[in-house]
Amino acid sequence: MKNYGICPASCGEFVQGMVDNDEYLSSYTIDMYSTAIVEERLKNIQRGPSKSRKAVEAVFNRFNIPIKESKNISLNIKSEIPVGKGMASSTADIGATIVATLGLLKQSLSSEEISKLASTIEPTDSIYIEKNSIFNPLNGDVIKYLGNIKNSRVVVLEPKKTLNTMKIRSLPNYKEIKIQNKEIIKNAFQLLEEGMKDNDLYSIGKACTLSSLANENIDKKEGLKEIIEISQNYGAYGVNIAHSGTVVGILIDKCMNDARLIELLKQANLDVVYNKMYALDIIDGGIRRELQCNTSKIL
């Protein structure tokens, strides 16, 4: 019998940075998915990606089942999430695999427990949590729940360029540079919290833009200031980035004409760098067992 796990992607983070010498982030989820399918087989066993295979083994270990008993578990990942762009592709694969494996074993874990389990494989994002939150990516701890925003979309600017998250984190002065931005990031998290409380996209957007600009001393996003200027002139709420990826997001609401905004960005020749531009809904987080959404939304 096949068991499924479906996990949404992110378009980077609203805010990410150092607060009180620890790193925190607040990811958000979009209408794009990774699906994991696990089943027991006697032959033609697929191991799946290495990190996702580790997720299968982590679930077995969590319930004190010998890892050797997972050898007949076939794992297949089907994902529409771009790899190496900061859209949580491996995080989504891992989370979907954990939920599919839990279904196979007839076990359950909370979203918070899944986050902690995933963080033992690699630094993770807050996309497993149903509500937007302030989150420690290194241990999976939720520091504070912020709530969800409604009627919001994001224009995704996806470049050809990819970036290895672990390569960024392994920079010798990574933490030092992050600490330089701590006051800006503290302010950004406060604005984000206030915005979430009131469903105020202006405050959320301002928080995103502050965090995006602060990250320029870690990894520059080509054309970021021009993207921000065009977005502001258009009336969009703010610009966020993947802090250890390459994707950029522009926060809009569902009444705004995303096609017109994309046209303005292309007129400025930003599509030379960001060769894919498309709009997706911002959705609630959490891993699903069934997919009930239309995912064919990439233009």
Side-chain angles (χ1 to χ4, degrees), residues 57-208:
E57 294 172 356
V59 175
F60 272 67
N61 188 56
R62 174 68 171 74
F63 292 98
N64 299 313
I65 302 170
I67 289 174
K68 65 181 181 181
E69 292 191 20
S70 69
K71 63 181 175 58
N72 288 335
I73 303 300
S74 186
L75 167 64
N76 184 22
I77 299 287
K78 295 181 179 180
S79 179
E80 54 189 9
I81 307 171
V83 176
K85 306 292 179 70
M87 300 179 75
S89 58
S90 62
T91 299
D93 290 352
I94 289 167
T97 301
I98 289 172
V99 164
T101 306
L102 287 169
L104 181 78
L105 299 177
K106 295 182 170 49
Q107 299 286 351
S108 63
L109 291 172
S110 68
S111 300
E112 291 78 7
E113 288 171 323
I114 291 171
S115 297
K116 287 179 180 295
L117 190 62
S119 73
T120 66
I121 299 168
E122 67 171 7
T124 191
D125 295 286
S126 56
I127 59 175
Y128 305 152
I129 310 298
E130 288 77 6
K131 293 183 178 180
N132 292 114
S133 60
I134 299 175
F135 181 88
N136 185 320
L138 300 181
N139 61 21
D141 279 345
V142 177
I143 308 306
K144 183 177 286 189
Y145 295 96
L146 301 179
N148 298 102
I149 56 173
K150 303 299 178 186
N151 301 314
S152 54
R153 306 191 83 207
V154 61
V155 173
V156 181
L157 309 187
E158 182 192 330
K160 292 179 182 177
K161 180 183 175 184
T162 60
L163 189 66
N164 186 306
T165 301
M166 295 310 294
K167 185 177 179 181
I168 285 285
R169 288 184 175 276
S170 64
L171 291 172
N173 57 347
Y174 175 80
K175 191 169 182 179
E176 256 174 58
I177 298 172
K178 284 278 190 183
I179 287 172
Q180 291 173 14
N181 299 329
K182 65 188 298 184
E183 290 304 316
I184 297 171
I185 296 303
K186 183 178 179 181
N187 185 26
F189 272 125
Q190 287 174 343
L191 281 167
L192 181 65
E193 186 174 353
E194 291 166 10
M196 287 288 176
K197 183 180 177 182
D198 300 325
N199 200 44
D200 175 7
L201 293 179
Y202 288 102
S203 293
I204 294 168
K206 188 175 180 181
C208 292

Side-chain angles (χ1 to χ4, degrees), residues 35-47:
T35 301
I37 306 158
V38 300
E39 59 180 324
E40 284 195 87
R41 286 185 185 175
L42 295 177
K43 58 182 180 178
N44 300 323
I45 295 167
Q46 296 175 275
R47 290 194 56 79

Side-chain angles (χ1 to χ4, degrees), residues 227-247:
I227 293 167
I228 291 170
E229 183 179 354
I230 291 168
S231 300
Q232 287 175 339
N233 290 339
Y234 173 78
Y237 297 100
V239 175
N240 82 287
I241 61 166
H243 290 73
S244 52
T246 60
V247 77

Side-chain angles (χ1 to χ4, degrees), residues 157-159 222-228 230-231 250 261-262 264-277:
L157 309 187
E158 182 192 330
E222 196 166 343
L224 179 62
K225 290 183 179 178
E226 192 173 6
I227 293 167
I228 291 170
I230 291 168
S231 300
I250 303 172
L261 178 53
I262 290 171
L264 293 171
L265 294 164
K266 288 182 175 179
Q267 286 174 6
N269 295 319
L270 286 159
D271 56 328
V272 173
V273 177
Y274 301 95
N275 59 308
K276 292 183 180 179
M277 299 184 182

